[in-house]
PDB file of all heavy atoms in Angstrom:
ATOM      1  N   ARG A 126     -14.569  -5.623  -0.414  1.00 79.00           N
ATOM      2  CA  ARG A 126     -15.355  -6.746  -0.960  1.00 79.00           C
ATOM      3  C   ARG A 126     -16.837  -6.547  -0.679  1.00 79.00           C
ATOM      4  O   ARG A 126     -17.682  -6.751  -1.548  1.00 79.00           O
ATOM      5  CB  ARG A 126     -14.877  -8.071  -0.373  1.00 79.00           C
ATOM      6  CG  ARG A 126     -13.514  -8.451  -0.858  1.00 79.00           C
ATOM      7  CD  ARG A 126     -13.016  -9.788  -0.446  1.00 79.00           C
ATOM      8  NE  ARG A 126     -13.579 -10.364   0.761  1.00 79.00           N
ATOM      9  CZ  ARG A 126     -13.130 -11.453   1.341  1.00 79.00           C
ATOM     10  NH1 ARG A 126     -12.098 -12.073   0.832  1.00 79.00           N
ATOM     11  NH2 ARG A 126     -13.669 -11.929   2.420  1.00 79.00           N
ATOM     12  N   LEU A 130     -20.053  -6.006  -3.564  1.00 73.00           N
ATOM     13  CA  LEU A 130     -21.321  -6.735  -3.599  1.00 73.00           C
ATOM     14  C   LEU A 130     -22.503  -5.785  -3.458  1.00 73.00           C
ATOM     15  O   LEU A 130     -23.518  -5.932  -4.138  1.00 73.00           O
ATOM     16  CB  LEU A 130     -21.356  -7.795  -2.491  1.00 73.00           C
ATOM     17  CG  LEU A 130     -20.398  -8.960  -2.672  1.00 73.00           C
ATOM     18  CD1 LEU A 130     -20.400  -9.848  -1.440  1.00 73.00           C
ATOM     19  CD2 LEU A 130     -20.764  -9.781  -3.904  1.00 73.00           C
ATOM     20  N   MET A 135     -26.815  -6.294  -4.397  1.00 71.00           N
ATOM     21  CA  MET A 135     -27.210  -7.329  -3.444  1.00 71.00           C
ATOM     22  C   MET A 135     -27.597  -6.681  -2.122  1.00 71.00           C
ATOM     23  O   MET A 135     -27.026  -5.677  -1.721  1.00 71.00           O
ATOM     24  CB  MET A 135     -26.069  -8.318  -3.240  1.00 71.00           C
ATOM     25  CG  MET A 135     -25.673  -9.021  -4.532  1.00 71.00           C
ATOM     26  SD  MET A 135     -24.404 -10.251  -4.263  1.00 71.00           S
ATOM     27  CE  MET A 135     -25.391 -11.547  -3.563  1.00 71.00           C
ATOM     28  N   ASP A 136     -28.586  -7.285  -1.427  1.00 71.00           N
ATOM     29  CA  ASP A 136     -28.958  -6.725  -0.134  1.00 71.00           C
ATOM     30  C   ASP A 136     -28.069  -7.296   0.969  1.00 71.00           C
ATOM     31  O   ASP A 136     -27.302  -8.229   0.765  1.00 71.00           O
ATOM     32  CB  ASP A 136     -30.448  -6.929   0.164  1.00 71.00           C
ATOM     33  CG  ASP A 136     -30.830  -8.381   0.439  1.00 71.00           C
ATOM     34  OD1 ASP A 136     -30.004  -9.144   0.974  1.00 71.00           O
ATOM     35  OD2 ASP A 136     -31.984  -8.732   0.144  1.00 71.00           O
ATOM     36  N   MET A 137     -28.170  -6.728   2.147  1.00 67.00           N
ATOM     37  CA  MET A 137     -27.292  -7.069   3.266  1.00 67.00           C
ATOM     38  C   MET A 137     -27.338  -8.551   3.633  1.00 67.00           C
ATOM     39  O   MET A 137     -26.311  -9.149   3.922  1.00 67.00           O
ATOM     40  CB  MET A 137     -27.670  -6.249   4.502  1.00 67.00           C
ATOM     41  CG  MET A 137     -27.662  -4.773   4.268  1.00 67.00           C
ATOM     42  SD  MET A 137     -25.995  -4.182   4.186  1.00 67.00           S
ATOM     43  CE  MET A 137     -26.204  -2.567   4.850  1.00 67.00           C
ATOM     44  N   ASN A 138     -28.531  -9.145   3.650  1.00 74.00           N
ATOM     45  CA  ASN A 138     -28.650 -10.557   4.030  1.00 74.00           C
ATOM     46  C   ASN A 138     -27.978 -11.473   3.016  1.00 74.00           C
ATOM     47  O   ASN A 138     -27.316 -12.444   3.382  1.00 74.00           O
ATOM     48  CB  ASN A 138     -30.123 -10.949   4.214  1.00 74.00           C
ATOM     49  CG  ASN A 138     -30.755 -10.241   5.397  1.00 74.00           C
ATOM     50  OD1 ASN A 138     -30.070  -9.942   6.375  1.00 74.00           O
ATOM     51  ND2 ASN A 138     -32.034  -9.952   5.294  1.00 74.00           N
ATOM     52  N   GLU A 139     -28.159 -11.160   1.716  1.00 72.00           N
ATOM     53  CA  GLU A 139     -27.499 -11.951   0.680  1.00 72.00           C
ATOM     54  C   GLU A 139     -25.979 -11.865   0.817  1.00 72.00           C
ATOM     55  O   GLU A 139     -25.278 -12.873   0.727  1.00 72.00           O
ATOM     56  CB  GLU A 139     -27.891 -11.447  -0.718  1.00 72.00           C
ATOM     57  CG  GLU A 139     -29.284 -11.800  -1.156  1.00 72.00           C
ATOM     58  CD  GLU A 139     -29.568 -11.224  -2.532  1.00 72.00           C
ATOM     59  OE1 GLU A 139     -29.599  -9.989  -2.665  1.00 72.00           O
ATOM     60  OE2 GLU A 139     -29.733 -12.033  -3.470  1.00 72.00           O
ATOM     61  N   ILE A 140     -25.496 -10.661   1.040  1.00 68.00           N
ATOM     62  CA  ILE A 140     -24.053 -10.466   1.178  1.00 68.00           C
ATOM     63  C   ILE A 140     -23.519 -11.262   2.359  1.00 68.00           C
ATOM     64  O   ILE A 140     -22.526 -11.981   2.248  1.00 68.00           O
ATOM     65  CB  ILE A 140     -23.720  -8.967   1.342  1.00 68.00           C
ATOM     66  CG1 ILE A 140     -24.068  -8.209   0.062  1.00 68.00           C
ATOM     67  CG2 ILE A 140     -22.251  -8.770   1.701  1.00 68.00           C
ATOM     68  CD1 ILE A 140     -24.011  -6.705   0.206  1.00 68.00           C
ATOM     69  N   ALA A 141     -24.195 -11.171   3.492  1.00 72.00           N
ATOM     70  CA  ALA A 141     -23.739 -11.880   4.696  1.00 72.00           C
ATOM     71  C   ALA A 141     -23.716 -13.390   4.471  1.00 72.00           C
ATOM     72  O   ALA A 141     -22.768 -14.072   4.873  1.00 72.00           O
ATOM     73  CB  ALA A 141     -24.633 -11.531   5.880  1.00 72.00           C
ATOM     74  N   ASP A 142     -24.752 -13.920   3.827  1.00 77.00           N
ATOM     75  CA  ASP A 142     -24.805 -15.366   3.562  1.00 77.00           C
ATOM     76  C   ASP A 142     -23.687 -15.813   2.628  1.00 77.00           C
ATOM     77  O   ASP A 142     -23.101 -16.875   2.800  1.00 77.00           O
ATOM     78  CB  ASP A 142     -26.157 -15.757   2.952  1.00 77.00           C
ATOM     79  CG  ASP A 142     -27.272 -15.757   3.973  1.00 77.00           C
ATOM     80  OD1 ASP A 142     -26.969 -15.773   5.188  1.00 77.00           O
ATOM     81  OD2 ASP A 142     -28.452 -15.731   3.568  1.00 77.00           O
ATOM     82  N   ILE A 143     -23.387 -15.016   1.641  1.00 73.00           N
ATOM     83  CA  ILE A 143     -22.393 -15.387   0.636  1.00 73.00           C
ATOM     84  C   ILE A 143     -20.972 -15.311   1.182  1.00 73.00           C
ATOM     85  O   ILE A 143     -20.169 -16.212   0.971  1.00 73.00           O
ATOM     86  CB  ILE A 143     -22.536 -14.496  -0.619  1.00 73.00           C
ATOM     87  CG1 ILE A 143     -23.816 -14.865  -1.368  1.00 73.00           C
ATOM     88  CG2 ILE A 143     -21.329 -14.639  -1.532  1.00 73.00           C
ATOM     89  CD1 ILE A 143     -24.178 -13.910  -2.464  1.00 73.00           C
ATOM     90  N   ILE A 144     -20.650 -14.255   1.895  1.00 72.00           N
ATOM     91  CA  ILE A 144     -19.248 -14.032   2.257  1.00 72.00           C
ATOM     92  C   ILE A 144     -18.825 -14.627   3.592  1.00 72.00           C
ATOM     93  O   ILE A 144     -17.638 -14.660   3.901  1.00 72.00           O
ATOM     94  CB  ILE A 144     -18.889 -12.530   2.250  1.00 72.00           C
ATOM     95  CG1 ILE A 144     -19.612 -11.792   3.365  1.00 72.00           C
ATOM     96  CG2 ILE A 144     -19.136 -11.923   0.903  1.00 72.00           C
ATOM     97  CD1 ILE A 144     -19.163 -10.348   3.516  1.00 72.00           C
ATOM     98  N   LYS A 145     -19.762 -15.141   4.378  1.00 76.00           N
ATOM     99  CA  LYS A 145     -19.404 -15.528   5.747  1.00 76.00           C
ATOM    100  C   LYS A 145     -18.296 -16.575   5.837  1.00 76.00           C
ATOM    101  O   LYS A 145     -17.499 -16.534   6.762  1.00 76.00           O
ATOM    102  CB  LYS A 145     -20.644 -15.991   6.516  1.00 76.00           C
ATOM    103  CG  LYS A 145     -21.267 -17.261   5.992  1.00 76.00           C
ATOM    104  CD  LYS A 145     -22.494 -17.618   6.796  1.00 76.00           C
ATOM    105  CE  LYS A 145     -23.144 -18.825   6.173  1.00 76.00           C
ATOM    106  NZ  LYS A 145     -24.419 -19.132   6.756  1.00 76.00           N
ATOM    107  N   ASP A 146     -18.203 -17.500   4.896  1.00 79.00           N
ATOM    108  CA  ASP A 146     -17.180 -18.546   4.978  1.00 79.00           C
ATOM    109  C   ASP A 146     -16.190 -18.516   3.820  1.00 79.00           C
ATOM    110  O   ASP A 146     -15.411 -19.444   3.653  1.00 79.00           O
ATOM    111  CB  ASP A 146     -17.857 -19.930   5.019  1.00 79.00           C
ATOM    112  CG  ASP A 146     -18.694 -20.105   6.271  1.00 79.00           C
ATOM    113  OD1 ASP A 146     -18.242 -19.647   7.342  1.00 79.00           O
ATOM    114  OD2 ASP A 146     -19.790 -20.694   6.194  1.00 79.00           O
ATOM    115  N   MET A 147     -16.206 -17.449   3.016  1.00 79.00           N
ATOM    116  CA  MET A 147     -15.337 -17.396   1.838  1.00 79.00           C
ATOM    117  C   MET A 147     -13.933 -16.910   2.174  1.00 79.00           C
ATOM    118  O   MET A 147     -13.765 -15.997   2.978  1.00 79.00           O
ATOM    119  CB  MET A 147     -15.915 -16.455   0.782  1.00 79.00           C
ATOM    120  CG  MET A 147     -17.028 -17.030  -0.015  1.00 79.00           C
ATOM    121  SD  MET A 147     -17.404 -15.893  -1.376  1.00 79.00           S
ATOM    122  CE  MET A 147     -18.622 -16.841  -2.229  1.00 79.00           C
ATOM    123  N   THR A 148     -12.970 -17.517   1.504  1.00 79.00           N
ATOM    124  CA  THR A 148     -11.602 -17.009   1.577  1.00 79.00           C
ATOM    125  C   THR A 148     -11.500 -15.839   0.597  1.00 79.00           C
ATOM    126  O   THR A 148     -12.406 -15.603  -0.217  1.00 79.00           O
ATOM    127  CB  THR A 148     -10.577 -18.079   1.170  1.00 79.00           C
ATOM    128  OG1 THR A 148     -10.786 -18.408  -0.213  1.00 79.00           O
ATOM    129  CG2 THR A 148     -10.700 -19.324   2.046  1.00 79.00           C
ATOM    130  N   GLU A 151     -11.684 -17.182  -2.932  1.00 80.00           N
ATOM    131  CA  GLU A 151     -13.045 -17.585  -3.276  1.00 80.00           C
ATOM    132  C   GLU A 151     -13.918 -16.365  -3.577  1.00 80.00           C
ATOM    133  O   GLU A 151     -14.744 -16.393  -4.490  1.00 80.00           O
ATOM    134  CB  GLU A 151     -13.666 -18.402  -2.141  1.00 80.00           C
ATOM    135  CG  GLU A 151     -13.080 -19.788  -1.997  1.00 80.00           C
ATOM    136  CD  GLU A 151     -13.535 -20.500  -0.738  1.00 80.00           C
ATOM    137  OE1 GLU A 151     -13.851 -19.828   0.272  1.00 80.00           O
ATOM    138  OE2 GLU A 151     -13.572 -21.743  -0.757  1.00 80.00           O
ATOM    139  N   MET A 152     -13.704 -15.293  -2.820  1.00 73.00           N
ATOM    140  CA  MET A 152     -14.468 -14.077  -3.050  1.00 73.00           C
ATOM    141  C   MET A 152     -14.140 -13.479  -4.412  1.00 73.00           C
ATOM    142  O   MET A 152     -15.026 -13.074  -5.161  1.00 73.00           O
ATOM    143  CB  MET A 152     -14.196 -13.053  -1.951  1.00 73.00           C
ATOM    144  CG  MET A 152     -14.921 -11.734  -2.163  1.00 73.00           C
ATOM    145  SD  MET A 152     -16.710 -11.852  -2.220  1.00 73.00           S
ATOM    146  CE  MET A 152     -17.048 -12.047  -0.500  1.00 73.00           C
ATOM    147  N   PHE A 155     -15.786 -15.586  -7.004  1.00 72.00           N
ATOM    148  CA  PHE A 155     -17.220 -15.360  -6.986  1.00 72.00           C
ATOM    149  C   PHE A 155     -17.573 -14.066  -7.721  1.00 72.00           C
ATOM    150  O   PHE A 155     -18.479 -14.038  -8.555  1.00 72.00           O
ATOM    151  CB  PHE A 155     -17.742 -15.298  -5.545  1.00 72.00           C
ATOM    152  CG  PHE A 155     -19.165 -14.835  -5.453  1.00 72.00           C
ATOM    153  CD1 PHE A 155     -20.212 -15.701  -5.741  1.00 72.00           C
ATOM    154  CD2 PHE A 155     -19.463 -13.525  -5.101  1.00 72.00           C
ATOM    155  CE1 PHE A 155     -21.523 -15.271  -5.666  1.00 72.00           C
ATOM    156  CE2 PHE A 155     -20.772 -13.092  -5.023  1.00 72.00           C
ATOM    157  CZ  PHE A 155     -21.806 -13.961  -5.301  1.00 72.00           C
ATOM    158  N   LEU A 156     -16.840 -12.992  -7.410  1.00 67.00           N
ATOM    159  CA  LEU A 156     -17.098 -11.717  -8.078  1.00 67.00           C
ATOM    160  C   LEU A 156     -16.869 -11.817  -9.579  1.00 67.00           C
ATOM    161  O   LEU A 156     -17.625 -11.266 -10.373  1.00 67.00           O
ATOM    162  CB  LEU A 156     -16.223 -10.619  -7.476  1.00 67.00           C
ATOM    163  CG  LEU A 156     -16.582 -10.185  -6.060  1.00 67.00           C
ATOM    164  CD1 LEU A 156     -15.497  -9.278  -5.496  1.00 67.00           C
ATOM    165  CD2 LEU A 156     -17.933  -9.501  -6.025  1.00 67.00           C
ATOM    166  N   LYS A 159     -19.837 -13.954 -10.993  1.00 65.00           N
ATOM    167  CA  LYS A 159     -21.159 -13.360 -10.835  1.00 65.00           C
ATOM    168  C   LYS A 159     -21.315 -12.042 -11.584  1.00 65.00           C
ATOM    169  O   LYS A 159     -22.342 -11.774 -12.174  1.00 65.00           O
ATOM    170  CB  LYS A 159     -21.433 -13.135  -9.343  1.00 65.00           C
ATOM    171  CG  LYS A 159     -22.761 -12.538  -9.014  1.00 65.00           C
ATOM    172  CD  LYS A 159     -23.816 -13.577  -8.891  1.00 65.00           C
ATOM    173  CE  LYS A 159     -25.100 -12.949  -8.392  1.00 65.00           C
ATOM    174  NZ  LYS A 159     -26.238 -13.774  -8.606  1.00 65.00           N
ATOM    175  N   PHE A 160     -20.272 -11.231 -11.559  1.00 58.00           N
ATOM    176  CA  PHE A 160     -20.421  -9.878 -12.073  1.00 58.00           C
ATOM    177  C   PHE A 160     -19.467  -9.527 -13.196  1.00 58.00           C
ATOM    178  O   PHE A 160     -19.399  -8.382 -13.605  1.00 58.00           O
ATOM    179  CB  PHE A 160     -20.272  -8.877 -10.934  1.00 58.00           C
ATOM    180  CG  PHE A 160     -21.247  -9.132  -9.826  1.00 58.00           C
ATOM    181  CD1 PHE A 160     -20.815  -9.613  -8.613  1.00 58.00           C
ATOM    182  CD2 PHE A 160     -22.595  -8.930 -10.021  1.00 58.00           C
ATOM    183  CE1 PHE A 160     -21.715  -9.874  -7.602  1.00 58.00           C
ATOM    184  CE2 PHE A 160     -23.498  -9.185  -9.019  1.00 58.00           C
ATOM    185  CZ  PHE A 160     -23.062  -9.659  -7.802  1.00 58.00           C
TER     186      PHE A 160
END
Side-chain angles (χ1 to χ4, degrees):
R126 291 186 336 189
L130 292 173
M135 299 184 77
D136 70 31
M137 304 285 212
N138 293 329
E139 286 179 295
I140 294 170
D142 285 343
I143 289 170
I144 67 173
K145 66 181 176 188
D146 296 321
M147 282 189 175
T148 64
E151 289 171 332
M152 178 60 76
F155 170 78
L156 290 170
K159 180 86 173 163
F160 303 110

